[in-house]
Amino acid sequence: DFVNSPVPFIIGMAMNDDDRGISIQSDYRVASAIADGLSVINLSNNSVVLTTQTGIVKLLNGCPTPKPQLSKYQRQLKQLHASSSGLQEFSRFVDHGLSHQELVVIESIRAVIRTYLTGLADHIGSDPDAWQLYGVQKSDDEHFDFYPSFFVDGLKQQFNLLECRLK
């Protein structure tokens, strides 16, 4: 029932049976949640099921992403996985850990993602109170109304300034 929660979250579960994961994805509650915004990343069979919520797929496809850098690291991980690797088997990972090369590639992926995400809203990550700029505190001091438009309007202004500078 938590899949219908309005709060964004990431959850995982380990399974020995790939068919069980497929049956979970086919469950009517999960299918309903996928229609309402849930996306599923299945690490057992390396698949992604994106939400079918109206507008989200178009939005996701239009977002700039660090795809070239991540594609390069994905190829490197696949090459490392093909060799004797801690990425192949959990027990091997527990016994031996990852190789230096694997650690470097994974840390590089983390750095690309971190750079991309902090580029979107660096001030929010660097100032713990920055989120307060994007809403209004009600007079009862217990209620805060978040307005995404406050954040988006600032990004639009930055984009317009950049566009003017490039002309």
Side-chain angles (χ1 to χ4, degrees):
D1 289 333
F2 69 88
V3 295
N4 288 318
S5 169
V7 179
F9 58 87
I10 298 174
I11 188 161
M13 58 194 270
M15 292 180 286
N16 291 332
D17 183 6
D18 285 341
D19 292 336
R20 179 77 176 126
I22 292 169
S23 69
I24 289 171
Q25 282 179 227
S26 317
D27 182 89
Y28 73 93
R29 292 164 291 204
V30 174
S32 174
I34 288 172
D36 288 335
L38 174 73
S39 293
V40 177
I41 301 172
N42 187 328
L43 300 177
S44 298
N45 67 7
N46 299 320
S47 68
V48 175
V49 178
L50 287 177
T51 181
T52 55
Q53 185 178 25
T54 307
I56 296 294
V57 174
K58 182 179 177 184
L59 179 69
L60 290 174
N61 287 333
C63 288
T65 61
K67 286 180 186 176
Q69 301 99 319
L70 292 177
S71 294
K72 177 182 85 170
Y73 293 130
Q74 181 180 18
R75 284 190 303 275
Q76 290 177 353
L77 278 179
K78 283 182 180 181
Q79 290 171 348
L80 292 169
H81 183 267
S83 65
S84 180
S85 165
L87 295 169
Q88 289 180 343
E89 188 178 325
F90 186 68
S91 61
R92 185 180 297 162
F93 169 75
V94 170
D95 291 341
H96 305 288
L98 297 176
S99 72
H100 177 70
Q101 285 178 303
E102 292 165 338
L103 289 171
V104 168
V105 172
I106 290 172
E107 186 53 42
S108 297
I109 291 169
R110 288 179 61 193
V112 167
I113 293 170
R114 184 181 303 115
T115 300
Y116 174 73
L117 292 176
T118 56
L120 293 174
D122 184 39
H123 65 287
I124 293 176
S126 60
D127 179 0
D129 295 325
W131 60 271
Q132 295 176 3
L133 297 170
Y134 306 110
V136 176
Q137 184 73 44
K138 295 295 182 178
S139 60
D140 61 10
D141 287 332
E142 292 183 19
H143 190 76
F144 181 83
D145 284 338
F146 175 71
Y147 295 103
S149 62
F150 288 11
F151 176 72
V152 173
D153 289 347
L155 291 176
K156 285 179 183 176
Q157 291 172 358
Q158 290 177 15
F159 177 77
N160 289 337
L161 177 62
L162 180 62
E163 188 178 41
C164 289
R165 289 177 55 197
L166 294 174
K167 288 183 179 181

